[in-house]
Amino acid sequence: MENLFAWINSVLKFVGPLSDFFWDIPTQFSWYKNLPLLGSFSFAIIVLVGSGIYFTLRLHCIQLTHMGEAIRLLIRRRSAETGISPLAAFMLSSAMRVGPGNILGVTGAISVGGPGALFWMWVSAFFGMGTAFVEGTMAQLFKEKRRGQFVGGLPFYGRALFGGSRTVGIFLSLLYIFYALGCLPAQGYNVVSSVGAIGSLVSGVEVPTKSFFYYGTAAVVLLFTAVLAFGGIKKVTRATNAMVPVMAVIYVATTVLLIVTNVQSVPYFFEAVFTGAFRPEAFFGGVFGTVLVQGVKRGLMSNEAGQGTITMSAASADDEHPCEQGLLSAAGVFLDTHIICTMTGFIVIMAHAWTQDPTAWKAAGKLPRYLLSVTSMTPTAGINTAVTLALTLCFCLFAYTCLIGMISFSEIASARLSQNPRVIVAVRCLCLLVAAFGILVNIAGYDLSNLWAFSDLANIVMVYCNVPLLYKGFQYVLKAQRHFVSGSTEPFDGKKILGIDTPCWPRK
């Protein structure tokens, strides 16, 4: 088996450099890199942040001026005759956004760019909320009704914007499935490894990966994942409705407890973030561009604004106006970055373990650095065990909700490929097999590092394909937004307001 993993790793060896090329171009060229400030930004960062700024300005900062409306939509109980409720769609999208990257990505960004990276994460996320509004609204505008459910998202609005081109729809569906298949092994790996860590914490003994406990965990995870995957979107949303609030509350509450316990370090946190954003410490490279790029890159890859990878959940909702889901998509970015990621930032920065033990900090990976920070903030071994247990449980739920979300969205993407139920079943089975592969890698104790690079590659490819579609369809989002903010009581009608036929608007 180890020979198989080694062979796969060697085959995928090109993925890391290819991913770095797409993320970093054109900063590899000296003529560009030597440009003041601009030379620090790759084309990917310019596209993502620039688009967020453009959409935010054109929409008159709707993510700020109408955030109260988003909160009212979340707390208002509304049943859905078709599809799922707006709240259920928000929970499903949050299940995808709030993932292991909220811990690993933030820790990695601070490790490379210093505390100031968190400030730029906040800034990029604010503008990313504008991009998310556009994505969510477009997903609603071009959704379709099939078998009593709403389906839509990137493959659907992409096809509609190109005059109903079947080729475009198929390409974007395959692209999303490619993205999911690239990310699923890592999520499967994370779920089982975190359950193993919980077992070790509870028992007080290191549980070997090649043990009955790990094999049993793998079987249970795959069984529950299969039950949800084959149960359809409503069964998945019932699961995410239950898990997302639990994992968010536990994570925030545990972090707040650590902050209160170490309240004397709170001033240091804010000083480090705001001064580090413009005057980075030499320990982290001391380059302003590095701080900014790390904050922007990891922030946007955590909340996924601009990737189009969460638009399937937005399309599934039974909203009264397309812009409602746009606001909830923006709120999802706020939850992911300004709340969950910030909680991680509090722990890593307040602990500032890099000053206490620089050697251990530099030698550790992202998760060990995070746990090192947690340990330094807990006063006793008993409290440290309880806190680590709670945070490891959150990490497990973060990974698991991402796992089921990706499989569910792959199913929706496959609906754009074919109406044949066998195609959907085949995609479900393929996703489960790929997730099982990631679990097997963990049990075998083998580190397929190139699979992690595969996720980064899939992310940037999605960005380059999705952002042009957002610009192409922005004219319709702008018209829908004007109708929404006008306060008109007239039901939304795509033909009258947009000048085009929209399958589900007016609402039947």
Side-chain angles (χ1 to χ4, degrees):
M1 184 65 70
E2 200 163 306
N3 290 335
L4 173 63
F5 293 146
W7 178 80
I8 293 173
N9 223 12
S10 64
V11 170
L12 293 177
K13 195 174 291 184
F14 72 95
V15 173
L18 184 62
S19 173
D20 291 340
F21 174 80
F22 281 117
W23 266 109
D24 297 338
I25 191 171
T27 58
Q28 302 98 326
F29 304 108
S30 57
W31 63 267
Y32 181 83
K33 196 170 185 177
N34 291 332
L35 294 175
L37 189 59
L38 182 64
S40 299
F41 296 102
S42 67
F43 180 64
I45 300 298
I46 293 172
V47 166
L48 283 166
V49 180
S51 297
I53 294 173
Y54 173 77
F55 293 140
T56 295
L57 294 177
R58 291 293 306 276
L59 295 167
H60 305 290
C61 291
I62 193 169
Q63 70 267 46
L64 185 64
T65 60
H66 284 70
M67 187 50 66
E69 177 66 20
I71 295 172
R72 285 191 290 272
L73 289 169
L74 287 174
I75 63 177
R76 184 174 64 185
R77 298 184 65 87
R78 186 200 304 171
S79 59
E81 297 178 3
T82 304
I84 60 178
S85 70
L87 176 60
F90 173 81
M91 292 298 185
L92 181 57
S93 67
S94 297
M96 285 283 289
R97 280 194 174 98
V98 182
N102 289 74
I103 293 177
L104 302 181
V106 177
T107 304
I110 294 171
S111 299
V112 177
L118 186 63
F119 173 84
W120 295 111
M121 200 174 287
W122 293 335
V123 172
S124 65
F126 172 76
F127 293 113
M129 290 169 70
T131 305
F133 177 87
V134 176
E135 289 179 319
T137 303
M138 277 181 53
Q140 273 288 312
L141 287 174
F142 298 107
K143 68 184 180 181
E144 299 176 12
K145 185 177 180 181
R146 294 185 181 179
R147 298 177 184 173
Q149 302 287 335
F150 287 128
V151 292
L154 173 61
F156 292 78
Y157 63 67
R159 174 177 177 169
L161 291 172
F162 280 89
S165 169
R166 179 174 171 80
T167 302
V168 172
I170 291 174
F171 169 76
L172 292 173
S173 296
L174 292 173
L175 180 66
Y176 181 83
I177 294 171
F178 160 81
Y179 160 81
L181 294 177
C183 298
L184 282 170
Q187 304 308 334
Y189 186 105
N190 286 332
V191 172
V192 174
S193 62
S194 54
V195 173
I198 290 172
S200 297
L201 285 168
V202 172
S203 66
V205 179
E206 187 69 27
V207 179
T209 55
K210 295 178 182 178
S211 64
F212 177 78
F213 179 82
Y214 267 85
Y215 288 121
T217 298
V220 171
V221 168
L222 287 174
L223 176 62
F224 275 91
T225 303
V227 168
L228 290 174
F230 283 86
I233 189 71
K234 288 200 171 183
K235 182 169 283 190
V236 171
T237 55
R238 282 196 293 271
T240 54
N241 283 352
M243 285 188 284
V244 169
V246 170
M247 67 190 196
V249 168
I250 291 176
Y251 192 70
V252 172
T254 305
T255 304
V256 169
L257 177 63
L258 288 175
I259 294 170
V260 171
T261 307
N262 298 268
V263 68
Q264 72 281 357
S265 297
V266 171
Y268 169 80
F269 168 82
F270 288 105
E271 180 186 359
V273 169
F274 288 105
T275 58
F278 302 98
R279 291 188 287 113
E281 299 177 46
F283 184 88
F284 300 98
V287 180
F288 171 69
T290 301
V291 181
L292 198 153
V293 168
Q294 283 299 314
V296 171
K297 180 178 178 180
R298 292 303 167 192
L300 290 171
M301 287 307 96
S302 172
N303 58 54
E304 300 190 36
Q307 290 182 202
T309 49
I310 304 185
T311 52
M312 287 76 164
S313 61
S316 301
D318 187 6
D319 288 288
E320 294 178 353
H321 193 285
C323 290
E324 289 183 350
Q325 204 53 228
L327 283 177
L328 292 182
S329 295
V333 173
F334 181 85
L335 169 67
D336 176 89
T337 305
H338 292 98
I339 297 180
I340 304 296
C341 286
T342 299
M343 293 295 104
T344 302
F346 265 109
I347 290 176
V348 176
I349 296 170
M350 284 177 64
H352 53 93
W354 59 84
T355 61
Q356 298 175 19
D357 192 347
T359 303
W361 176 264
K362 288 183 177 180
K366 294 176 185 176
L367 188 57
R369 284 175 178 176
Y370 174 75
L371 295 177
L372 188 68
S373 302
V374 171
T375 300
S376 69
M377 291 180 68
T378 49
T380 66
I383 294 176
N384 179 61
T385 300
V387 168
T388 303
L389 184 62
L391 295 175
T392 305
L393 174 62
C394 290
F395 186 82
C396 179
L397 291 175
F398 288 172
Y400 186 67
T401 54
C402 279
L403 182 68
I404 60 175
M406 285 178 181
I407 295 176
S408 179
F409 292 175
S410 295
E411 174 186 335
I412 294 173
S414 66
R416 181 73 281 170
L417 292 174
S418 173
Q419 297 284 338
N420 191 333
R422 293 180 180 178
V423 174
I424 295 175
V425 171
V427 170
R428 288 169 175 163
C429 291
L430 180 60
C431 288
L432 286 170
L433 284 173
V434 172
F437 174 75
I439 292 172
L440 187 62
V441 169
N442 176 264
I443 292 176
Y446 201 84
D447 177 27
L448 280 181
S449 56
N450 287 320
L451 280 178
W452 307 100
F454 198 94
S455 297
D456 275 345
L457 175 62
N459 284 332
I460 192 58
V461 170
M462 293 298 295
V463 168
Y464 285 143
C465 291
N466 181 60
V467 170
L469 294 176
L470 299 184
Y471 280 101
K472 188 173 178 63
F474 185 61
Q475 57 179 313
Y476 306 119
V477 174
L478 207 53
K479 291 177 181 178
Q481 181 252 357
R482 288 169 181 163
H483 178 265
F484 182 69
V485 300
S486 69
S488 173
T489 56
E490 178 188 11
F492 187 86
D493 186 329
K495 186 68 174 178
K496 290 174 60 177
I497 297 168
L498 308 181
I500 57 173
D501 289 321
T502 48
C504 299
W505 301 97
R507 298 169 77 235
K508 297 296 189 293

